[in-house]
């Protein structure tokens, strides 16, 4: 296939080690380096996000686009979509990203005719499949954009108007078909409009029941059509809605349990969503890991001084090291990978900027993974934490854990014992371990 080269001044990005001064090289991400029993590449399973990297124009509420893409010039939707796919796969292979993720409308523009949209997605997914076969890059997850079109302004699966719910279902069906065709590991539901702007006009109970019904039907369809991958729910507390039903990890877990969806779904957690919910990403990941639900990650970061989803590229190694501790201890991601749901800034306008951004993110994760592995193997971290709970490993503490002590038993023990010793939680000691191994 003859095709244009979109990043012609940019070479293949290689691992050159920490002594390299080359800004277009990895200093930590050595894809085949074995960490905790498997290559980094397999722990991290990095993916590029179609929407930010190949569709995001840099426009913001105050200004026009600043990113003018050479692959966005042709007049036909099909022509633009194929050029974009060429650019995307050139980028993914140059960066050694093994996976990518997309929404239906990122791959090809949609119109208001659903049958035509199905045709368009089939056409572009055939083309993407060919690109996958040529390059070895594969789909991490697919999804449908159920939030940009104006028909979704009152919700998609949770819209009070049934005819909108049906439109959303059609989009999901086509996106699932494409995901199956492209051998996607997962399928994501992020409910950007599944929530409310005002409780006054909202029957929340009914809307949540509709969302559950919608997920069941989507899952049944996908399974019946041979989808073997994992479904992911991506929590976010708000934005664009005032309140999103998939608020955070705990809330989604409760929802999935209530509606009997736990067996097919895992969580896709995003850093900036965690902080919007008033949590750390570590918190969200630990909640998921403790419930065997740590499926996939959307990597980015917010801004410390403002409160929205700025989707900046991740670069905080302390934060990432703490996250990788959870990832390693939980045995890895269940069915997913690490998708850079991050965008270069509006004023980052060189083609190189997209590469610098991903190289920085990949290196930061790789370095964090190595540090976390060293912490687990070489430091007192695990033992120190376990020590704090040693009173539950034997005697009365063990009996308590095993349910053998009643409240009156506990009261008797309390009456007959002295005031507990003051035991330090040693938070600063633990914090220092992180910095020491970075
Ligand atoms: C938006 C979400 C979105 C999902 C996919 O905040 O992060 O990009 O990842 O629909
Ligand atoms: Ni996301
Ligand atoms: Ni997001």
């Amino acid at each position: 296939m003859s095709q244009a080269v979109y990043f012609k001044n940019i070479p293949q990005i290689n691992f050159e080690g920490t002594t390299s001064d080359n800004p277009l090289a990895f200093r930590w991400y050595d894809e085949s380096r074995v960490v905790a029993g498997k290559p980094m590449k397999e722990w991290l399973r990095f993916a590029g996000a179609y929407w930010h990297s190949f569709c995001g124009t840099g426009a913001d509420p105050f200004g026009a686009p600043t990113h003018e893409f050479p692959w966005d010039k042709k007049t036909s939707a099909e022509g633009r979509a194929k050029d974009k796919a060429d650019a995307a796969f050139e980028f993914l292979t140059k960066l050694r990203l093994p996976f990518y993720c997309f929404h239906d409308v990122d791959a090809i523009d949609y119109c208001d005719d659903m049958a035509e949209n199905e045709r368009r997605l089939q056409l572009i997914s055939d083309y993407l499949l060919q690109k996958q076969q040529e390059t070895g890059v594969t789909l991490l997850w697919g999804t449908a954009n159920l939030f940009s079109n104006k028909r979704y302004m009152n919700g998609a699966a949770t819209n009070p108007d049934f005819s909108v719910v049906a439109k959303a279902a059609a989009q999901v069906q086509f996106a699932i078909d494409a995901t199956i065709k492209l051998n996607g590991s997962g399928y994501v539901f992020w409910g950007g409009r599944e929530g409310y702007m005002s409780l006054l006009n909202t029957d929340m109970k009914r809307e949540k029941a509709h969302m559950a019904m919608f997920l069941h039907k989507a899952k049944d369809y996908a399974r019946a059509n041979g989808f073997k991958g994992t479904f992911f729910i991506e929590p976010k507390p708000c934005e664009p809605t005032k309140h999103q039903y998939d608020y955070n990890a705990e809330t989604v877990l409760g929802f999935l349990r209530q509606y009997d969806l736990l067996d097919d779904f895992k969580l896709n957690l995003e850093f900036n969503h965690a902080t919007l919910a008033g949590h750390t990403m570590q918190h969200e990941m630990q909640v998921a890991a403790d419930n065997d639900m740590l499926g996939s990650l959307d990597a980015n970061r917010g801004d410390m001084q403002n409160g929205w989803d700025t989707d900046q590229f991740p670069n905080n190694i302390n934060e990432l090291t703490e996250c990788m501790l959870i990832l390693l201890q939980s045995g890895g991601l269940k069915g997913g990978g690490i998708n850079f749901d991050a965008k270069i800034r509006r004023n980052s306008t060189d083609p190189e900027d997209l590469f610098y951004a991903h190289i920085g993110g990949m290196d930061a994760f790789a370095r964090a993974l190595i540090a976390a592995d060293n912490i687990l193997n070489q430091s007192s971290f695990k033992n120190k934490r376990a020590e704090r709970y040693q009173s539950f490993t034997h005697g009365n503490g063990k009996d308590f854990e095993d349910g053998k002590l009643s409240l009156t038993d506990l009261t008797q023990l309390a009456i007959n014992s002295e005031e507990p010793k003051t035991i330090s939680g040693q938070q600063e000691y633990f914090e220092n371990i992180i910095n020491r191994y970075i």
Side-chain angles (χ1 to χ4, degrees):
M1 190 184 319
S2 80
Q3 66 196 36
V5 173
Y6 292 97
F7 302 99
K8 73 169 178 312
N9 296 324
I10 295 161
Q12 179 68 43
I13 309 300
N14 294 317
F15 171 71
E16 294 184 5
T18 53
T19 55
S20 174
D21 278 332
N22 179 1
L24 289 171
F26 297 118
R27 302 173 78 251
W28 293 89
Y29 182 62
D30 179 4
E31 60 183 21
S32 50
R33 170 165 172 184
V34 173
V35 178
K38 56 180 183 185
M40 268 187 182
K41 190 180 175 174
E42 288 172 31
W43 282 111
L44 301 169
R45 290 165 59 85
F46 286 132
Y50 231 84
W51 54 102
H52 285 309
S53 293
F54 310 107
C55 312
T57 62
D60 71 13
F62 300 90
T66 54
H67 302 156
E68 281 167 19
F69 298 131
W71 51 84
D72 202 25
K73 302 283 185 226
K74 294 203 175 132
T75 47
S76 79
E78 178 180 345
R80 284 195 305 277
K82 287 184 169 170
D83 285 356
K84 198 195 286 183
D86 291 343
F89 277 77
E90 182 192 341
F91 174 81
L92 295 163
T93 44
K94 281 192 169 163
L95 254 176
R96 301 178 181 281
L97 285 165
F99 296 101
Y100 68 109
C101 302
F102 72 99
H103 303 84
D104 46 6
V105 302
D106 306 331
I108 192 159
D109 290 341
Y110 268 12
C111 59
D112 283 344
D113 175 345
M114 282 293 164
E116 167 62 11
N117 291 338
E118 179 175 29
R119 194 193 67 79
R120 290 187 186 186
L121 194 61
Q122 280 173 356
L123 179 149
I124 196 64
S125 52
D126 283 341
Y127 192 71
L128 291 168
L129 183 60
Q130 212 178 310
K131 308 286 301 177
Q132 289 189 181
Q133 284 159 354
E134 283 165 18
T135 58
V137 173
T138 41
L139 182 67
L140 185 66
W141 48 259
T143 189
N145 177 327
L146 305 181
F147 44 91
S148 296
N149 190 291
K150 81 173 177 1
R151 77 172 78 87
Y152 299 126
M153 67 179 191
N154 291 309
T158 61
N159 199 295
D161 176 1
F162 169 72
S163 60
V164 179
V165 177
K167 294 278 183 192
Q171 254 189 272
V172 167
Q173 179 177 324
F174 308 153
I176 286 173
D177 290 342
T179 301
I180 294 171
K181 184 194 291 179
L182 297 170
N183 202 18
S185 304
Y187 184 89
V188 163
F189 290 92
W190 172 62
R193 303 276 176 196
E194 314 293 24
Y196 61 77
M197 301 306 285
S198 168
L199 208 41
L200 290 174
N201 63 6
T202 303
D203 183 341
M204 184 156 61
K205 185 174 184 186
R206 197 165 192 178
E207 291 196 4
K208 285 191 195 167
H210 291 174
M211 189 158 90
M213 181 64 73
F214 190 94
L215 293 175
H216 268 286
K217 299 303 170 192
K219 171 204 71 147
D220 292 346
Y221 172 82
R223 293 297 184 221
N225 283 277
F227 180 61
K228 301 266 189 305
T230 313
F231 298 95
F232 300 114
I233 302 273
E234 182 177 328
K236 185 176 182 181
C238 57
E239 195 215 82
T241 53
K242 168 187 164 53
H243 175 88
Q244 191 177 314
Y245 296 139
D246 297 330
Y247 197 93
N248 60 0
E250 289 275 11
T251 306
V252 173
L253 277 168
F255 172 86
L256 293 173
R257 192 170 289 122
Q258 181 182 358
Y259 290 101
D260 194 25
L261 289 160
L262 275 180
D263 288 344
D264 292 272
F265 286 78
K266 302 249 182 269
L267 297 171
N268 177 34
L269 300 171
E270 178 166 322
F271 287 69
N272 207 160
H273 297 182
T275 52
L276 286 177
H279 305 307
T280 58
M281 182 63 163
Q282 298 88 303
H283 170 91
E284 291 291 84
M285 286 180 66
Q286 193 67 60
V287 168
D290 289 347
N291 289 278
D292 198 28
M293 291 290 281
L294 185 59
S296 206
L297 307 180
D298 269 9
N300 58 26
R301 74 177 207 277
D303 181 289
M304 299 276 226
Q305 282 76 41
N306 65 25
W308 66 89
D309 200 10
T310 60
D311 287 341
Q312 285 157 255
F313 273 81
N315 68 1
N316 182 334
I317 296 170
N318 281 62
E319 176 188 39
L320 295 179
T321 301
E322 293 183 30
C323 291
M324 291 302 99
L325 277 173
I326 299 165
L327 182 114
L328 284 170
Q329 288 177 282
S330 74
L333 297 169
K334 308 260 176 308
I338 299 177
N339 165 48
F340 287 103
D341 195 351
K343 59 184 177 226
I344 51 174
R345 300 299 88 191
R346 170 176 162 76
N347 56 349
S348 296
T349 50
D350 293 338
E352 285 82 358
D353 291 325
L354 197 55
F355 283 81
Y356 297 147
H358 285 83
I359 290 169
M362 292 161 82
D363 266 348
F365 269 97
R367 186 171 173 185
L369 184 74
I370 295 167
D373 184 45
N374 289 338
I375 290 169
L376 293 174
N377 290 319
Q378 297 168 22
S379 80
S380 51
F381 172 76
K382 275 202 294 193
N383 288 342
K384 280 286 217 188
R385 193 167 63 179
E387 255 171 41
R388 296 191 72 212
Y389 299 88
Q390 64 176 308
S391 61
F392 291 95
T393 58
H394 57 275
N396 293 327
K398 174 99 174 44
D399 286 348
F400 170 77
E401 273 198 353
D402 294 343
K404 291 181 186 157
L405 299 179
S406 68
L407 194 67
T408 51
D409 293 334
L410 294 168
T411 302
Q412 267 317 308
L413 289 168
I415 289 169
N416 295 330
S417 63
E418 287 169 14
E419 189 53 26
K421 278 185 288 180
T422 299
I423 303 175
S424 174
Q426 298 184 314
Q427 180 174 328
E428 297 78 6
Y429 179 101
F430 281 90
E431 288 168 347
N432 289 355
I433 294 179
I434 304 290
N435 278 348
R436 190 172 143 208
Y437 282 86
I438 286 170

mmCIF file with all atom_site columns, all heavy atoms in Angstrom, residues 51 141 190 234 268 270 273 298 300 339 341, ligand 2:
data_model
loop_
_atom_site.group_PDB
_atom_site.id
_atom_site.type_symbol
_atom_site.label_atom_id
_atom_site.label_alt_id
_atom_site.label_comp_id
_atom_site.label_asym_id
_atom_site.label_entity_id
_atom_site.label_seq_id
_atom_site.pdbx_PDB_ins_code
_atom_site.Cartn_x
_atom_site.Cartn_y
_atom_site.Cartn_z
_atom_site.occupancy
_atom_site.B_iso_or_equiv
_atom_site.pdbx_formal_charge
_atom_site.auth_seq_id
_atom_site.auth_comp_id
_atom_site.auth_asym_id
_atom_site.auth_atom_id
_atom_site.pdbx_PDB_model_num
ATOM   1   N  N   . TRP A 1 51  ? -8.519  9.589  19.796 1.00 0.00 ? 51  TRP A N   1
ATOM   2   C  CA  . TRP A 1 51  ? -9.239  10.869 19.872 1.00 0.00 ? 51  TRP A CA  1
ATOM   3   C  C   . TRP A 1 51  ? -8.321  12.030 20.227 1.00 0.00 ? 51  TRP A C   1
ATOM   4   O  O   . TRP A 1 51  ? -8.424  13.096 19.613 1.00 0.00 ? 51  TRP A O   1
ATOM   5   C  CB  . TRP A 1 51  ? -10.435 10.786 20.819 1.00 0.00 ? 51  TRP A CB  1
ATOM   6   C  CG  . TRP A 1 51  ? -10.160 10.305 22.214 1.00 0.00 ? 51  TRP A CG  1
ATOM   7   C  CD1 . TRP A 1 51  ? -10.050 11.061 23.340 1.00 0.00 ? 51  TRP A CD1 1
ATOM   8   C  CD2 . TRP A 1 51  ? -9.996  8.945  22.641 1.00 0.00 ? 51  TRP A CD2 1
ATOM   9   N  NE1 . TRP A 1 51  ? -9.816  10.270 24.435 1.00 0.00 ? 51  TRP A NE1 1
ATOM   10  C  CE2 . TRP A 1 51  ? -9.786  8.968  24.045 1.00 0.00 ? 51  TRP A CE2 1
ATOM   11  C  CE3 . TRP A 1 51  ? -10.006 7.707  21.996 1.00 0.00 ? 51  TRP A CE3 1
ATOM   12  C  CZ2 . TRP A 1 51  ? -9.577  7.808  24.798 1.00 0.00 ? 51  TRP A CZ2 1
ATOM   13  C  CZ3 . TRP A 1 51  ? -9.806  6.555  22.733 1.00 0.00 ? 51  TRP A CZ3 1
ATOM   14  C  CH2 . TRP A 1 51  ? -9.593  6.614  24.114 1.00 0.00 ? 51  TRP A CH2 1
ATOM   15  N  N   . TRP A 1 141 ? -8.903  -1.475 23.202 1.00 0.00 ? 141 TRP A N   1
ATOM   16  C  CA  . TRP A 1 141 ? -10.361 -1.468 23.363 1.00 0.00 ? 141 TRP A CA  1
ATOM   17  C  C   . TRP A 1 141 ? -11.021 -0.499 22.397 1.00 0.00 ? 141 TRP A C   1
ATOM   18  O  O   . TRP A 1 141 ? -10.425 0.460  21.940 1.00 0.00 ? 141 TRP A O   1
ATOM   19  C  CB  . TRP A 1 141 ? -10.800 -1.198 24.796 1.00 0.00 ? 141 TRP A CB  1
ATOM   20  C  CG  . TRP A 1 141 ? -10.213 -0.060 25.579 1.00 0.00 ? 141 TRP A CG  1
ATOM   21  C  CD1 . TRP A 1 141 ? -9.235  -0.155 26.540 1.00 0.00 ? 141 TRP A CD1 1
ATOM   22  C  CD2 . TRP A 1 141 ? -10.582 1.338  25.550 1.00 0.00 ? 141 TRP A CD2 1
ATOM   23  N  NE1 . TRP A 1 141 ? -8.974  1.089  27.081 1.00 0.00 ? 141 TRP A NE1 1
ATOM   24  C  CE2 . TRP A 1 141 ? -9.794  2.022  26.504 1.00 0.00 ? 141 TRP A CE2 1
ATOM   25  C  CE3 . TRP A 1 141 ? -11.511 2.075  24.827 1.00 0.00 ? 141 TRP A CE3 1
ATOM   26  C  CZ2 . TRP A 1 141 ? -9.891  3.398  26.738 1.00 0.00 ? 141 TRP A CZ2 1
ATOM   27  C  CZ3 . TRP A 1 141 ? -11.616 3.456  25.052 1.00 0.00 ? 141 TRP A CZ3 1
ATOM   28  C  CH2 . TRP A 1 141 ? -10.810 4.088  26.003 1.00 0.00 ? 141 TRP A CH2 1
ATOM   29  N  N   . TRP A 1 190 ? -17.796 4.486  28.804 1.00 0.00 ? 190 TRP A N   1
ATOM   30  C  CA  . TRP A 1 190 ? -17.638 5.691  29.622 1.00 0.00 ? 190 TRP A CA  1
ATOM   31  C  C   . TRP A 1 190 ? -18.899 6.518  29.425 1.00 0.00 ? 190 TRP A C   1
ATOM   32  O  O   . TRP A 1 190 ? -19.188 6.970  28.317 1.00 0.00 ? 190 TRP A O   1
ATOM   33  C  CB  . TRP A 1 190 ? -16.397 6.509  29.218 1.00 0.00 ? 190 TRP A CB  1
ATOM   34  C  CG  . TRP A 1 190 ? -16.403 7.812  29.946 1.00 0.00 ? 190 TRP A CG  1
ATOM   35  C  CD1 . TRP A 1 190 ? -16.335 7.982  31.312 1.00 0.00 ? 190 TRP A CD1 1
ATOM   36  C  CD2 . TRP A 1 190 ? -16.574 9.124  29.395 1.00 0.00 ? 190 TRP A CD2 1
ATOM   37  N  NE1 . TRP A 1 190 ? -16.445 9.312  31.629 1.00 0.00 ? 190 TRP A NE1 1
ATOM   38  C  CE2 . TRP A 1 190 ? -16.596 10.032 30.474 1.00 0.00 ? 190 TRP A CE2 1
ATOM   39  C  CE3 . TRP A 1 190 ? -16.718 9.604  28.100 1.00 0.00 ? 190 TRP A CE3 1
ATOM   40  C  CZ2 . TRP A 1 190 ? -16.758 11.407 30.283 1.00 0.00 ? 190 TRP A CZ2 1
ATOM   41  C  CZ3 . TRP A 1 190 ? -16.875 10.971 27.919 1.00 0.00 ? 190 TRP A CZ3 1
ATOM   42  C  CH2 . TRP A 1 190 ? -16.883 11.855 29.007 1.00 0.00 ? 190 TRP A CH2 1
ATOM   43  N  N   . GLU A 1 234 ? -15.695 2.916  32.896 1.00 0.00 ? 234 GLU A N   1
ATOM   44  C  CA  . GLU A 1 234 ? -14.715 3.942  33.254 1.00 0.00 ? 234 GLU A CA  1
ATOM   45  C  C   . GLU A 1 234 ? -15.372 4.984  34.150 1.00 0.00 ? 234 GLU A C   1
ATOM   46  O  O   . GLU A 1 234 ? -16.141 5.818  33.675 1.00 0.00 ? 234 GLU A O   1
ATOM   47  C  CB  . GLU A 1 234 ? -14.173 4.581  31.975 1.00 0.00 ? 234 GLU A CB  1
ATOM   48  C  CG  . GLU A 1 234 ? -13.112 5.620  32.225 1.00 0.00 ? 234 GLU A CG  1
ATOM   49  C  CD  . GLU A 1 234 ? -12.543 6.187  30.930 1.00 0.00 ? 234 GLU A CD  1
ATOM   50  O  OE1 . GLU A 1 234 ? -12.455 5.472  29.914 1.00 0.00 ? 234 GLU A OE1 1
ATOM   51  O  OE2 . GLU A 1 234 ? -12.192 7.380  30.951 1.00 0.00 ? 234 GLU A OE2 1
ATOM   52  N  N   . ASN A 1 268 ? -12.058 0.436  34.195 1.00 0.00 ? 268 ASN A N   1
ATOM   53  C  CA  . ASN A 1 268 ? -11.005 1.175  33.502 1.00 0.00 ? 268 ASN A CA  1
ATOM   54  C  C   . ASN A 1 268 ? -10.848 2.492  34.254 1.00 0.00 ? 268 ASN A C   1
ATOM   55  O  O   . ASN A 1 268 ? -11.713 3.357  34.189 1.00 0.00 ? 268 ASN A O   1
ATOM   56  C  CB  . ASN A 1 268 ? -11.387 1.431  32.038 1.00 0.00 ? 268 ASN A CB  1
ATOM   57  C  CG  . ASN A 1 268 ? -10.333 2.264  31.321 1.00 0.00 ? 268 ASN A CG  1
ATOM   58  O  OD1 . ASN A 1 268 ? -9.138  2.141  31.600 1.00 0.00 ? 268 ASN A OD1 1
ATOM   59  N  ND2 . ASN A 1 268 ? -10.747 3.126  30.421 1.00 0.00 ? 268 ASN A ND2 1
ATOM   60  N  N   . GLU A 1 270 ? -9.070  6.084  35.449 1.00 0.00 ? 270 GLU A N   1
ATOM   61  C  CA  . GLU A 1 270 ? -8.312  7.192  34.858 1.00 0.00 ? 270 GLU A CA  1
ATOM   62  C  C   . GLU A 1 270 ? -7.826  8.139  35.955 1.00 0.00 ? 270 GLU A C   1
ATOM   63  O  O   . GLU A 1 270 ? -8.590  8.526  36.833 1.00 0.00 ? 270 GLU A O   1
ATOM   64  C  CB  . GLU A 1 270 ? -9.205  7.929  33.851 1.00 0.00 ? 270 GLU A CB  1
ATOM   65  C  CG  . GLU A 1 270 ? -8.524  9.132  33.218 1.00 0.00 ? 270 GLU A CG  1
ATOM   66  C  CD  . GLU A 1 270 ? -9.274  9.636  31.980 1.00 0.00 ? 270 GLU A CD  1
ATOM   67  O  OE1 . GLU A 1 270 ? -9.796  8.808  31.200 1.00 0.00 ? 270 GLU A OE1 1
ATOM   68  O  OE2 . GLU A 1 270 ? -9.326  10.862 31.800 1.00 0.00 ? 270 GLU A OE2 1
ATOM   69  N  N   . HIS A 1 273 ? -9.722  11.372 36.477 1.00 0.00 ? 273 HIS A N   1
ATOM   70  C  CA  . HIS A 1 273 ? -11.069 11.134 36.991 1.00 0.00 ? 273 HIS A CA  1
ATOM   71  C  C   . HIS A 1 273 ? -11.013 10.850 38.485 1.00 0.00 ? 273 HIS A C   1
ATOM   72  O  O   . HIS A 1 273 ? -11.893 11.268 39.240 1.00 0.00 ? 273 HIS A O   1
ATOM   73  C  CB  . HIS A 1 273 ? -11.726 9.965  36.268 1.00 0.00 ? 273 HIS A CB  1
ATOM   74  C  CG  . HIS A 1 273 ? -11.932 10.181 34.801 1.00 0.00 ? 273 HIS A CG  1
ATOM   75  N  ND1 . HIS A 1 273 ? -12.548 9.255  33.995 1.00 0.00 ? 273 HIS A ND1 1
ATOM   76  C  CD2 . HIS A 1 273 ? -11.608 11.212 33.988 1.00 0.00 ? 273 HIS A CD2 1
ATOM   77  C  CE1 . HIS A 1 273 ? -12.595 9.711  32.741 1.00 0.00 ? 273 HIS A CE1 1
ATOM   78  N  NE2 . HIS A 1 273 ? -12.017 10.900 32.724 1.00 0.00 ? 273 HIS A NE2 1
ATOM   79  N  N   . ASP A 1 298 ? -6.504  4.461  32.189 1.00 0.00 ? 298 ASP A N   1
ATOM   80  C  CA  . ASP A 1 298 ? -6.368  5.596  31.284 1.00 0.00 ? 298 ASP A CA  1
ATOM   81  C  C   . ASP A 1 298 ? -5.356  6.535  31.938 1.00 0.00 ? 298 ASP A C   1
ATOM   82  O  O   . ASP A 1 298 ? -5.612  7.109  33.002 1.00 0.00 ? 298 ASP A O   1
ATOM   83  C  CB  . ASP A 1 298 ? -7.714  6.310  31.072 1.00 0.00 ? 298 ASP A CB  1
ATOM   84  C  CG  . ASP A 1 298 ? -8.467  5.749  29.871 1.00 0.00 ? 298 ASP A CG  1
ATOM   85  O  OD1 . ASP A 1 298 ? -8.042  4.717  29.321 1.00 0.00 ? 298 ASP A OD1 1
ATOM   86  O  OD2 . ASP A 1 298 ? -9.486  6.354  29.483 1.00 0.00 ? 298 ASP A OD2 1
ATOM   87  N  N   . ASN A 1 300 ? -3.117  9.695  32.524 1.00 0.00 ? 300 ASN A N   1
ATOM   88  C  CA  . ASN A 1 300 ? -2.985  11.141 32.318 1.00 0.00 ? 300 ASN A CA  1
ATOM   89  C  C   . ASN A 1 300 ? -2.740  11.776 33.673 1.00 0.00 ? 300 ASN A C   1
ATOM   90  O  O   . ASN A 1 300 ? -2.447  11.091 34.648 1.00 0.00 ? 300 ASN A O   1
ATOM   91  C  CB  . ASN A 1 300 ? -4.218  11.728 31.603 1.00 0.00 ? 300 ASN A CB  1
ATOM   92  C  CG  . ASN A 1 300 ? -5.525  11.474 32.340 1.00 0.00 ? 300 ASN A CG  1
ATOM   93  O  OD1 . ASN A 1 300 ? -5.551  11.292 33.556 1.00 0.00 ? 300 ASN A OD1 1
ATOM   94  N  ND2 . ASN A 1 300 ? -6.618  11.459 31.599 1.00 0.00 ? 300 ASN A ND2 1
ATOM   95  N  N   . ASN A 1 339 ? -3.697  3.059  28.559 1.00 0.00 ? 339 ASN A N   1
ATOM   96  C  CA  . ASN A 1 339 ? -4.040  3.892  27.412 1.00 0.00 ? 339 ASN A CA  1
ATOM   97  C  C   . ASN A 1 339 ? -3.729  5.353  27.736 1.00 0.00 ? 339 ASN A C   1
ATOM   98  O  O   . ASN A 1 339 ? -4.189  5.868  28.757 1.00 0.00 ? 339 ASN A O   1
ATOM   99  C  CB  . ASN A 1 339 ? -5.541  3.706  27.135 1.00 0.00 ? 339 ASN A CB  1
ATOM   100 C  CG  . ASN A 1 339 ? -6.101  4.768  26.225 1.00 0.00 ? 339 ASN A CG  1
ATOM   101 O  OD1 . ASN A 1 339 ? -5.515  5.071  25.182 1.00 0.00 ? 339 ASN A OD1 1
ATOM   102 N  ND2 . ASN A 1 339 ? -7.230  5.354  26.608 1.00 0.00 ? 339 ASN A ND2 1
ATOM   103 N  N   . ASP A 1 341 ? -4.784  8.383  27.665 1.00 0.00 ? 341 ASP A N   1
ATOM   104 C  CA  . ASP A 1 341 ? -5.942  9.256  27.459 1.00 0.00 ? 341 ASP A CA  1
ATOM   105 C  C   . ASP A 1 341 ? -5.497  10.667 27.847 1.00 0.00 ? 341 ASP A C   1
ATOM   106 O  O   . ASP A 1 341 ? -5.939  11.232 28.853 1.00 0.00 ? 341 ASP A O   1
ATOM   107 C  CB  . ASP A 1 341 ? -7.123  8.776  28.301 1.00 0.00 ? 341 ASP A CB  1
ATOM   108 C  CG  . ASP A 1 341 ? -8.431  9.414  27.869 1.00 0.00 ? 341 ASP A CG  1
ATOM   109 O  OD1 . ASP A 1 341 ? -8.382  10.336 27.036 1.00 0.00 ? 341 ASP A OD1 1
ATOM   110 O  OD2 . ASP A 1 341 ? -9.491  8.998  28.372 1.00 0.00 ? 341 ASP A OD2 1
HETATM 111 NI NI1 . LIG B 2 .   ? -10.677 8.033  29.632 1.00 0.00 ? 2   LIG B NI1 1
#
